[in-house]
Every structure is written in C-alpha cells, then in structure tokens.
Amino acid sequence: MNSENSKKENNGITRRKFIGSSTALVGGMILPVGASAYVAGSDTLKVALIGCGGRGTGSVRDAMQADGSIELVAMADIFRDQLDKSYEGLTRIDNIKERIKVPEEHKFVGLDAYKKAIELADVVFLVTSPAFRPLHFETAVKAGKHVFLEKPLSSDAVGNRRIVAAGKLAEEKGLSAMVGLQNRYAVRYRRLVEHLHAGAIGDLTSIRCDYLIGGVTLIPRQSGQTEMEYQLRNWRHFNWLWAGGPAGLTIHMEDIAHWAKGAHPVRANGTGGRVVMRGPEHGDIFDTYDIEYEYPDGTRLHSRTRLIEGSYFGRGIYFQGTKGTADVPAYRDADIIDISGRSLWSHQDTNDPNPYQTEHEEFFAAIRSGNPVNDIKWASESNMTSIMGRMAAHSGEVIEWDDAFNSDLNLVPDNITFGSTPDKVPGEDGNYPHPIPGSGKRVL
C-alpha cells in the first residue's frame, strides 16, 4: 500500500517562501503587458471584488491569507447591504483587516458598478451570478487586468463562447485568468489524476459522480420589491442567473472526470425534474438531475445532482477501470483498489493545504513571476459540458456537443435594470414556468 499525505516538507521550501523568491526575480525579467502593475515599482497588488456574497467574501479572504502583499481597494455589488456585510466581515479578520483599504468612495453599487471597480485594480475578482460573468470578464481583460473568475462561467452557450474569446484575449495580453474550480488545486485530486494517467486502474470504463445536498438558500419576497430584484436576490433559483445545479455544483466533480479522461464529452442524455421545488418562490430550476455523458472513446460518466432538504447527503467521484477502482468521496479517504481488492493507494487530506488558498497562491505567484496562468480552455469546456447536461435533462433529448456549444439561445436579457421584466414571471397560478422534458420546447 502506497499511502500519501501532505506531512512532508517540500525540501524545506514553503509556498510562502516560493512566492517571495519568485517576486524577487521579476525585476530582471521582461514581463508581458499584464504584469505592468508589478513593474511599476510596488510589491503590492490592488484587488477589486465584484460580487460581495458569501463566495466573493470567501475568495478575497482566501487570497489575502495566501498572499501578504495584496490589498482590497474596491468593492462592487448590485445590493448595498451585500457589500456592507462583506466589508464588515472582512474587516473583522485579524490577519487581513489592515489590508482592507476600501474607502466609501470605492464602494460601488448597482448593475454597472463593476466598471468603476475594475478601473481601480490590478487584479479583479468576479464572483457575481454567472449571468454577468462574460460581460465582466470581457471588460476586465480589455482593461488589462488579471482576473479570478468563479464558476459557473456563464448561464448559456452564448456566454460560454464570450468567455472563450475573452480568455484568448487574456492570453494574448499576458494576463492571468484563474477559475474557481479549486479541486484542480487540491493535493488529493492532483495525486489521484497522476495515478489514473499512469494507468493505476487500467483503461477507464465508467465514471460516476454525485453532488447530493440540501436545498439552496431562498430569500423571502419583500413588499414593494420588483420581480427583477426578487430574482437577482434569489439567483440560484433561476436558470438564466445560475445555469442550474449541474453547472453550479456538480461541475466540481464532473471537471475531475474530464481531467482524468483528458477530454470533454461529445453528447449527453438525462432526466430530471422538480420534486419539492414548487410554488411561487422557487423559480424555474430543477432540484433533481440524472445525466449520462459520453466521451469520444465511448466511456460514460453518470452524474447525479439533488437539492432536497432532509435527503441523503453525498458528494464524490468514482472511477471503474479494467484493473481496479478509484473512489474519492468528499470528507473521506481517497482510495485506489485493484481488481483483487488490494489497496494500491490511499490518501488522507487532513493535513493538506487548503485548495482555496493554494489556487490563490499559485495565481498571485503567476502574476508576480510574469508567467501567466490561464484556466479558461479546460474550465470553459467543463462549464459547457454541464450546460449541455442541463439541456438534455430539460428537454429529454440527446444533446450533441457541437449543437450545444454553437447554440444561439441566450438566456440573459440585454440592458437589465431593476425595473426590467424578466423573461419568466409567475403565471396566474403563482408558479414560474419551468422546463418539461418531452415537451419539444427549444433548449438550443
């Protein structure tokens, strides 16, 4: 049995020391356009946070704990109360509060607040609803900023293609673009994929992944609130704002499967529905998905998503190969077992670095070294795969990759204001119209 854990020192070199030594080399290098802020003569990188919810706040916290020479200088959100809650929370964290330098005039509120925040920063964190991610990413890259993007990257194929194009522009400009699929930066998954690529369980024959959790947060409707504001507050309940459960959640596990396979699926079929999400509050998302993806070589990935309170909780990914199995359940040991039942590899992640911080350590090290990191190609493929799976479940049809990727169905309205009428509003019975598999309604 080959047991791996992260108790060993890397020849005495910590990540913190690596970042410090990396930055010391920059002065003698010719850096690309994206590194201009560092060349200007300061070790400090200025960060703007766009999207001040829980994930946005957590992303900035993790980044500032990963790198001691970054400052938060601007914040933007659609809602002032969200911004204030985030700011207050960050200023209570002892080891970063001195670097929260956001004066009142750098707190921007509204649907166009992102523009002003981007202007003030070297590095931009995009952590809003994915409906706005393509526009915000385009804007930041055109302005010459390094970008951290949360997933999902978009709500539809139109947005995904914009992400791909902006990612190519970032590469041309020498800008770093990192995506918040933190499992790619986790020791257990990196070791797992290394073993799979080395043939530890032979050829992969099938894969299963699960993301089975409770419901998503619902914020009660307020008196006098417009329909658009209600939907923006409850963005995870609407496909145009969230992209649905597979892209919003299960993408974390699906992405590991694509990484292990070295390819994205070529088609999907699936089923799903609304088991408990009924009534005038829960938007139009499904609370249950069961999707089968097919890779170019015929290997299948079975992906399950469930958002139902009181049900079995389970997350993980499970590989079957010609020579054995690899199981990676969340919060338990990762194991590779050969066909006779003998353990080949086991990994406990108790002492592993926090992948949320690791990704930011590597992100800022890339910026400072002038060797940009760009996650957009593989992340956009994982994003599009999850959207293709949603299309299949919503329609009840087999959806091909090329048809999904080239779809011209745009879920996100143009020129949104708080007074705009969303495309989907409650009907006479008080319920939102939602997809019905087999109805023939257009999904591409």
Side-chain angles (χ1 to χ4, degrees):
M1 174 177 175
N2 177 20
S3 178
E4 295 190 14
N5 57 48
S6 295
K7 295 180 181 179
K8 295 181 180 179
E9 295 291 332
N10 296 317
N11 297 321
I13 301 175
T14 65
R15 280 187 173 84
R16 183 69 64 200
K17 290 180 181 177
F18 168 75
I19 292 173
S21 60
S22 298
T23 59
L25 297 173
V26 176
M29 298 175 64
I30 298 174
L31 298 183
V33 174
S36 59
Y38 184 77
V39 176
S42 171
D43 288 350
T44 300
L45 289 169
K46 297 178 181 178
V47 170
L49 172 61
I50 300 171
C52 301
R55 186 78 287 273
T57 304
S59 294
V60 167
R61 176 202 63 211
D62 294 333
M64 298 187 78
Q65 290 176 338
D67 187 307
S69 295
I70 63 176
E71 294 178 350
L72 181 66
V73 300
M75 300 175 74
D77 198 273
I78 295 174
F79 300 112
R80 179 66 199 226
D81 59 303
Q82 284 282 91
L83 191 156
D84 288 342
K85 181 179 179 181
S86 176
Y87 177 80
E88 291 166 7
L90 290 168
T91 55
R92 287 198 295 266
I93 301 174
D94 287 341
N95 61 344
I96 69 171
K97 64 183 180 182
E98 298 300 324
R99 291 180 285 131
I100 308 299
K101 298 183 178 181
V102 187
E104 183 62 30
E105 61 268 24
H106 291 175
K107 297 175 181 177
F108 305 109
V109 178
L111 288 160
D112 62 352
Y114 69 97
K115 298 176 184 178
K116 298 174 183 177
I118 287 172
E119 293 175 358
L120 297 172
D122 306 313
V123 185
V124 179
F125 278 45
L126 301 180
V127 204
T128 64
S129 155
F132 304 104
R133 196 95 68 238
L135 172 61
H136 293 175
F137 186 38
E138 287 174 348
T139 304
V141 170
K142 288 177 181 178
K145 313 298 182 177
H146 304 283
V147 184
F148 174 82
L149 310 82
E150 257 302 338
K151 54 79 203 159
L153 296 178
S154 68
S155 297
D156 52 37
V158 174
N160 193 72
R161 292 196 296 273
R162 291 176 71 181
I163 290 286
V164 172
K168 290 179 180 177
L169 180 59
E171 188 172 3
E172 292 169 5
K173 287 191 168 191
L175 300 169
S176 283
M178 180 170 282
V179 176
L181 288 167
Q182 73 281 349
N183 285 346
R184 289 263 183 160
Y185 298 90
V187 172
R188 63 159 29 192
Y189 291 107
R190 285 177 163 178
R191 297 290 180 268
L192 168 77
V193 173
E194 286 175 3
H195 284 292
L196 294 179
H197 285 173
I201 62 171
D203 295 330
L204 297 180
T205 56
S206 69
I207 312 168
R208 188 187 98 236
C209 68
D210 293 337
Y211 213 106
L212 312 175
I213 62 171
V216 292
T217 301
L218 182 69
I219 301 172
R221 194 183 296 270
Q222 302 296 315
S223 176
Q225 192 175 49
T226 67
E227 178 61 30
M228 180 60 76
E229 181 178 349
Y230 177 77
Q231 293 195 15
L232 291 171
R233 292 271 186 187
N234 288 284
W235 57 275
R236 289 185 180 89
H237 287 264
F238 295 90
N239 287 300
W240 77 272
L241 283 163
W242 189 36
L249 299 170
T250 322
I251 187 173
H252 284 296
M253 299 304 171
E254 294 177 357
D255 177 59
I256 301 302
H258 312 329
W259 185 15
K261 285 294 298 177
H264 63 72
V266 295
R267 64 184 55 87
N269 73 84
T271 187
R274 292 163 63 86
V275 178
V276 299
M277 286 187 175
R278 301 173 183 172
E281 297 87 15
H282 291 291
D284 66 341
I285 64 167
F286 281 7
D287 55 29
T288 305
Y289 290 88
D290 195 324
I291 301 166
E292 180 185 78
Y293 299 100
E294 182 179 344
Y295 290 97
D297 65 359
T299 303
R300 308 299 173 94
L301 163 64
H302 302 269
S303 175
R304 301 189 299 172
T305 308
R306 188 178 63 213
L307 311 169
I308 300 177
E309 292 291 350
S311 297
Y312 164 74
F313 180 96
R315 291 184 296 168
I317 185 164
Y318 310 90
F319 296 87
Q320 178 71 52
T322 54
K323 297 180 180 179
T325 62
D327 293 351
V328 194
Y331 309 120
R332 299 213 313 269
D333 294 356
D335 292 293
I336 294 179
I337 299 172
D338 71 13
I339 202 164
S340 67
R342 181 171 60 95
S343 177
L344 302 177
W345 174 79
S346 182
H347 183 86
Q348 297 178 346
D349 60 2
T350 305
N351 297 313
D352 284 353
N354 180 347
Y356 289 98
Q357 288 193 24
T358 300
E359 63 183 350
H360 291 300
E361 289 173 353
E362 296 186 13
F363 180 46
F364 283 96
I367 293 171
R368 294 181 186 284
S369 70
N371 297 307
V373 60
N374 191 315
D375 292 344
I376 298 303
K377 183 181 185 303
W378 58 261
S380 66
E381 290 178 354
S382 290
N383 186 68
M384 193 62 238
T385 296
S386 297
I387 291 173
M388 177 173 67
R390 182 196 72 204
M391 291 175 172
H394 284 185
S395 66
E397 300 172 2
V398 175
I399 304 295
E400 301 288 335
W401 172 268
D402 288 345
D403 293 333
F405 184 88
N406 294 309
S407 169
D408 63 359
L409 182 62
N410 186 355
L411 300 183
V412 183
D414 294 327
N415 303 316
I416 298 170
T417 69
F418 283 114
S420 300
T421 300
D423 289 346
K424 290 189 177 181
V425 298
E428 293 182 0
D429 62 355
N431 295 302
Y432 289 92
H434 57 81
I436 300 176
S439 67
K441 295 279 183 75
R442 182 169 177 258
V443 298
L444 291 172

